[in-house]
Amino acid sequence: MKTRLTTLLGIEHPIVLPGMTYIAVPELVAAVSQAGGLGILASGALNPEACRQAIRTIRSLTDKPFGVGCSLMMPGASECAEVALQEQVPVINVSMGKGEWVVERARTYGGKVITTVSSEKHARSAIESGVDGLIVTGHEAAAHGGAVSSMVLIPAVRDMTDLPLIAAGGFADGRGLVAALALGADAVAMGTRFASSAESPVHPDTKQLILAKEAEETIYSPNFDTFPCRVMKTPGGQRYTARKLSPPVAITRSVKAARELNRPLSGLVRDTLSLGLVGAVKVAYFGAATLAMRKAIHEANHVDGVQLIGQSQGLVHDVASVAEIVDRVMAQARTVAANVSGL
Ligand SMILES: Cc1cc2nc3c(=O)[nH]c(=O)nc-3n(C[C@H](O)[C@H](O)[C@H](O)COP(=O)(O)O)c2cc1C
């Protein structure tokens, strides 16, 4: 299947593993790229040296194209983007910040830059910044999907640009891939589906919980990390989203998270304060949220932890290998496309 995205990146299938903190680790990234899709490393929990090491591990596992995701607003993210540029990573996926400097530097070695957006307004400014493609994240998505469903947001963004678009939010099988292509996208990003794959580092009990949950068993709330965020409906998810943490608790937890990540506190404070008071408080909430995410992902603790998950959990019925998932998505997409064209 050839689309604008497969042609741009030289990949076989229009399927992407999006950045997921603690989940999109080198082994999973390499498995998706090796299966013919595009794996994107999540750099949010990595310091620059760990990011460089992760990039080298991916390269030792596959010679196929892969990406590195950087949420530019987060402390340390620009340093990881710098490492990705130095290592000449084929694709850099930026979000939450101005990525012009990344585009300029990636051009020098032929790297491609893809920006994640969740609204028409974000899409407009990303297009102006000269990026090579967009991940368009609709309301159904795990974590930070937009206010508008994928069904409307993707064609709305397609009306603005001819750039390759990757549809994210609610896509977990071949039916979703054909639907995304029909809406004007050139690929799908599947977070929830790959988080429950055999190669994913998510705790086995959490994977079983994903299989058991229905589509409607999620919560979309700004109380988890200050941006509207979709999490699984669990005791932890319900408690965390019932009301916002107080700023002092958020700051204390985020400092704890930074210590656990071996982030030098002086640099963290400098980077955070450079964002201004509102930005600094937002980053503190993000830091606090990472502790809860880790408890759910690594310990299957859904009382103290919070699991990010999309509505597409209702479409996940087994834990399969990445290669099996990619094969099934492509086979089902071909059947569905043939059925639709035969109507
Ligand atoms: C378990 C899980 C963890 C995620 N973690 C992050 C994250 O740390 N940061 C982020 O921006 N998006 C995160 N995402 C969102 C994905 O990048 C992607 O936008 C989303 O999964 C797409 O929707 P889908 O879940 O319906 O496939 C996560 C998604 C899942 C399923």
Side-chain angles (χ1 to χ4, degrees):
M1 194 180 279
K2 278 210 173 354
T3 70
R4 274 173 279 218
L5 190 83
T6 61
T7 305
L8 177 78
L9 304 182
I11 57 175
E12 198 183 339
H13 304 304
I15 297 178
V16 175
L17 165 78
M20 297 184 272
T21 306
Y22 303 122
I23 299 174
V25 295
E27 292 71 18
L28 184 57
V29 171
V32 173
S33 289
Q34 192 62 26
L38 180 80
I40 299 179
L41 175 78
S43 72
L46 305 176
N47 63 35
E49 246 344 278
C51 186
R52 193 182 303 279
Q53 192 48 52
I55 291 167
R56 292 182 178 174
T57 303
I58 295 167
R59 284 205 159 114
S60 73
L61 297 171
T62 183
D63 57 2
K64 303 273 172 66
F66 66 95
V68 171
C70 305
S71 293
L72 292 175
M73 188 185 136
M74 294 298 135
S78 296
E79 284 87 336
C80 281
E82 177 62 43
V83 167
L85 291 163
Q86 286 168 9
E87 294 287 319
Q88 304 203 346
V89 167
V91 180
I92 303 188
N93 171 211
V94 297
S95 58
M96 293 182 168
K98 296 259 171 227
E100 280 89 345
W101 66 275
V102 183
V103 175
E104 206 173 294
R105 294 271 307 281
R107 290 276 180 275
T108 61
Y109 66 86
K112 307 295 177 206
V113 180
I114 293 177
T115 299
T116 299
V117 300
S118 57
S119 70
E120 291 160 277
K121 185 175 158 216
H122 288 158
R124 208 167 287 119
S125 81
I127 294 162
E128 279 165 13
S129 73
V131 294
D132 301 286
L134 303 176
I135 297 182
V136 182
T137 314
H139 189 61
E140 299 91 329
H144 306 119
V148 176
S149 69
S150 295
M151 182 72 121
V152 175
L153 188 59
I154 292 154
V157 175
R158 171 50 73 216
D159 286 345
M160 294 177 183
T161 179
D162 289 329
L163 284 177
L165 301 183
I166 301 164
F171 301 100
D173 58 26
R175 295 169 297 185
L177 173 55
V178 174
L181 297 175
L183 293 171
D186 303 285
V188 287
M190 305 194 301
T192 296
R193 188 59 186 109
F194 282 130
S196 46
S197 66
E199 289 90 336
S200 152
V202 168
H203 193 287
D205 293 349
T206 297
K207 289 183 191 171
Q208 291 304 317
L209 195 59
I210 297 172
L211 305 192
K213 291 283 182 184
E214 300 195 334
E216 66 183 9
E217 292 180 280
T218 69
I219 305 168
Y220 183 71
S221 162
N223 288 347
F224 181 52
D225 61 14
T226 79
F227 287 95
C229 184
R230 189 175 300 283
V231 305
M232 189 186 277
K233 194 169 189 180
T234 57
Q238 283 171 305
R239 193 159 45 80
Y240 260 84
T241 54
R243 62 188 152 73
K244 212 164 147 181
L245 289 179
S246 72
V249 173
I251 290 165
T252 310
R253 288 192 190 168
S254 91
V255 167
K256 189 168 172 223
R259 285 222 175 90
E260 289 186 14
L261 292 176
N262 293 328
R263 284 257 161 87
L265 224 48
S266 55
L268 191 72
V269 170
R270 188 198 56 227
D271 286 2
T272 307
L273 288 179
S274 73
L275 297 168
L277 191 60
V278 176
V281 170
K282 274 188 184 292
V283 167
Y285 277 97
F286 258 86
T290 59
L291 281 181
M293 283 160 57
R294 275 194 17 203
K295 283 197 166 74
I297 293 169
H298 292 152
E299 299 166 24
N301 178 345
H302 298 286
V303 174
D304 303 317
V306 177
Q307 181 62 49
L308 304 184
I309 208 73
Q311 292 178 336
S312 63
Q313 67 180 353
L315 302 175
V316 178
H317 305 302
D318 64 0
V319 175
S321 72
V322 163
E324 173 74 27
I325 292 170
V326 170
D327 280 355
R328 278 191 216 162
V329 169
M330 294 312 298
Q332 191 184 31
R334 285 187 198 102
T335 306
V336 171
N339 289 347
V340 171
S341 73
L343 289 178

